Amino acid sequence: MNELLRCVLRWSIGPNNPAVAAACLLALVIGPTARASEEWPQFRGPGGQGHAEAHDLPVHWTDNENVTWKTLLVSLGWSSPVISGDQIWLSASAEQGHLLEAICIARSSGKILRRVELFRPAELPPINAKNSYASPTPVLADDRLYVHFGTLGTACVDTTTGNVLWRNEELKLDHKEGPGSSPIVWHDLLIIPCDGIDVQFIVALDKHTGRIAWKLDRPGPFDENPDLRKAYCTPLIIESAGRTQLLTPGADHLLSLDPATGKILWQVGYKGFSNVPRPLYGLDLVFFCTGYMKPELWAVRPDGAGDVTETHVAWKTTRQVPANPSPVLVGERIYMVSDQGVATCLDARSGTEVWKHRLGGNFSASPVYADGKLFFCSEEGETHVLAPGDRFELLGKNQLQGKLLASPAIVGREIYLRTDQRLYRIEAANKPAAVSAAE
């Protein structure tokens, strides 16, 4: 069943629903023959906002049912899988963090094709017990894989040969809790936020050489306590107000930059640090979370200049806002889950709560919207599948073995979930899982 027909059926039997209406309109514009994307190149997918063009995704699975294959991972990491063609890439840390590597897995079979050694740090900084040394998600672009391990190094790998093309170990900072910010690619630049307790800057590397193209020290002001200056957020590129903008939240402020130069376009101030959720953009609004201690979700108009804190904030909410999972925008609704497992739907134009429901469990992974469904993954390995809309509707609840902190990747009709033990390919196959040779 294509997305248009699914929307029409849901519209005809369900309540008058702006989120569904928007999805139906999108299906009409794109057309029923639009192909699902076969790429998942970065954290939160092709657009960086947790959307996948997918079809026929399952709502039910177990550790064996609707699992095409599962591959044992002997190295730890909370980075998401990135996918192009038949290649799936993961960053990982082995030997208690003293070996940092990139792993390539065949999408068709789950077989590990190669392991590429990138760094062998002799001394390791401390990390939060919940974190790993391989938490930033890599980026795929033009047959190149860009892998970032925070202060421990950044590298570029040729995805055809597995050769390491360059390494950069200049970006030194004290994360305190370990690395978290994922890099992004824009044209010829690899852009990386570096927000520690000692230094706070955004840097763009030449993606061909790894050399620094520009660097901007965050302007502050910051809290007197260095521990409240760190952040772990992944930036987002948007086109708005007639200009390209790089949105990069940090402690106490969000910056909008010209990605070509690092010049500040506008900024908004707040109280918050250790920011993790990636920003959203839609309806001519930027949505972002302010971080610990009391997370807030703000909506800001992106057409200002200078400090817009007093002039461009459209709304803000403090109820059940996540500190780790990113929200997702579908039509005129924002869906999010707090770290403690409370899912909330908001009107994106006003911030008004539409519904709230306790899912249970703890959450770090960011949800994905695909095939008219929302996928929320708990740390306990359980995925809740919800229907978007103005009332809570649970379509399925599915348990895997192991912990699940990495955000999902979805391509075609396949869901990829990375636990602390395995990488799973999940699809509506209705046959026992193939277990890779590594198992």
Side-chain angles (χ1 to χ4, degrees):
M1 181 187 299
N2 64 48
E3 183 66 20
L4 177 57
L5 180 56
R6 195 186 330 272
C7 283
V8 170
L9 287 174
R10 185 175 295 162
W11 178 259
S12 65
I13 63 177
N16 194 352
N17 183 329
V20 174
C24 291
L25 180 60
L26 181 63
L28 283 168
V29 172
I30 295 176
T33 60
R35 293 184 60 205
S37 172
E38 298 296 316
E39 305 285 323
W40 192 270
Q42 61 170 325
F43 179 56
R44 306 215 73 204
Q49 300 194 73
H51 282 237
E53 294 180 14
H55 58 92
D56 301 321
L57 297 176
V59 297
H60 299 290
W61 60 84
T62 66
D63 210 68
N64 289 293
E65 180 191 1
N66 283 338
V67 176
T68 301
W69 52 254
K70 52 184 175 180
T71 297
L72 182 68
L73 301 174
V74 297
S75 302
L76 182 63
W78 293 128
S79 61
S80 298
V82 290
I83 304 168
S84 180
D86 192 46
Q87 291 189 346
I88 302 171
W89 286 89
L90 305 170
S91 64
S93 65
E95 301 176 13
Q96 290 76 51
H98 291 285
L99 170 59
L100 303 177
E101 61 181 347
I103 303 173
C104 182
I105 297 172
R107 178 178 163 194
S108 55
S109 66
K111 179 182 177 181
I112 295 177
L113 301 177
R114 57 167 50 102
R115 310 180 85 101
V116 182
E117 180 178 314
L118 297 174
F119 300 99
R120 277 195 171 272
E123 297 184 8
L124 292 171
I127 60 172
N128 190 291
K130 197 173 178 177
N131 202 4
S132 76
Y133 288 106
S135 291
T137 296
V139 183
L140 281 167
D142 302 325
D143 298 320
R144 300 289 185 266
L145 178 77
Y146 301 92
V147 194
H148 180 60
F149 298 98
T151 192
L152 296 175
T154 309
C156 174
V157 177
D158 184 318
T159 58
T160 302
T161 65
N163 293 334
V164 180
L165 301 180
W166 56 257
R167 292 180 173 89
N168 182 308
E169 298 180 73
E170 300 176 66
L171 310 180
K172 296 299 183 184
L173 65 153
D174 184 351
H175 299 289
K176 187 178 180 183
E177 313 292 351
S181 301
S182 300
I184 65 171
V185 167
W186 181 77
H187 296 310
D188 288 332
L189 299 177
L190 181 70
I191 301 173
I192 308 169
C194 299
D195 293 296
I197 62 175
D198 52 347
V199 293
Q200 302 84 31
F201 61 91
I202 304 102
V203 65
L205 304 181
D206 183 315
K207 74 176 186 180
H208 303 291
T209 65
R211 299 191 185 99
I212 294 177
W214 59 256
K215 178 182 176 183
L216 173 72
D217 291 327
R218 285 193 184 269
F222 293 105
D223 195 283
E224 292 182 0
N225 182 353
D227 191 45
L228 306 185
R229 300 177 185 176
K230 61 186 187 289
Y232 307 94
C233 198
T234 300
L236 181 72
I237 297 282
I238 68 170
E239 298 289 336
S240 183
R243 54 193 176 176
T244 304
Q245 302 185 39
L246 169 68
L247 305 175
T248 173
D252 292 334
H253 65 277
L254 175 144
L255 296 177
S256 171
L257 308 178
D258 178 346
T261 64
K263 178 184 176 182
I264 298 174
L265 302 176
W266 55 265
Q267 66 186 77
V268 60
Y270 46 81
K271 291 300 294 181
F273 68 100
S274 287
N275 317 67
V276 176
R278 194 171 189 181
L280 298 173
Y281 173 68
L283 307 175
D284 295 323
L285 292 170
V286 170
F287 307 94
F288 66 93
C289 299
T290 59
Y292 290 69
M293 293 290 289
K294 177 64 176 176
E296 299 181 0
L297 177 65
W298 287 30
V300 177
R301 297 185 299 276
D303 58 350
D307 190 330
V308 301
T309 309
E310 301 300 326
T311 58
H312 281 65
V313 177
W315 57 261
K316 61 183 77 170
T317 185
T318 61
R319 295 174 61 84
Q320 302 298 339
V321 176
N324 283 289
S326 306
V328 62
L329 175 66
V330 181
E332 296 193 1
R333 298 292 180 260
I334 291 176
Y335 301 90
M336 60 187 184
V337 62
S338 70
D339 296 44
Q340 295 76 34
V342 177
T344 305
C345 171
L346 302 176
D347 182 304
R349 293 193 182 276
S350 66
T352 303
E353 182 180 295
V354 178
W355 57 255
K356 180 172 62 180
H357 186 89
R358 180 171 293 279
L359 300 178
N362 300 285
F363 287 76
S364 288
S366 296
V368 173
Y369 171 73
D371 191 27
K373 308 173 185 71
L374 293 158
F375 298 86
F376 291 83
C377 300
S378 77
E379 295 178 9
E380 293 78 17
E382 192 169 54
T383 300
H384 298 75
V385 186
L386 308 183
D390 285 357
R391 61 183 178 86
F392 175 80
E393 182 182 353
L394 179 68
L395 302 176
K397 191 159 61 170
N398 311 288
Q399 183 70 52
L400 295 179
Q401 296 178 10
K403 298 179 180 179
L404 209 170
L405 279 75
S407 298
I410 297 179
V411 292
R413 57 195 298 272
E414 306 143 27
I415 303 167
Y416 292 88
L417 297 179
R418 179 187 192 174
T419 70
D420 61 335
Q421 303 173 11
R422 295 171 177 83
L423 178 67
Y424 291 80
R425 171 173 164 165
I426 297 167
E427 60 186 316
N430 295 314
K431 58 183 180 182
V435 179
S436 82
E439 192 77 64

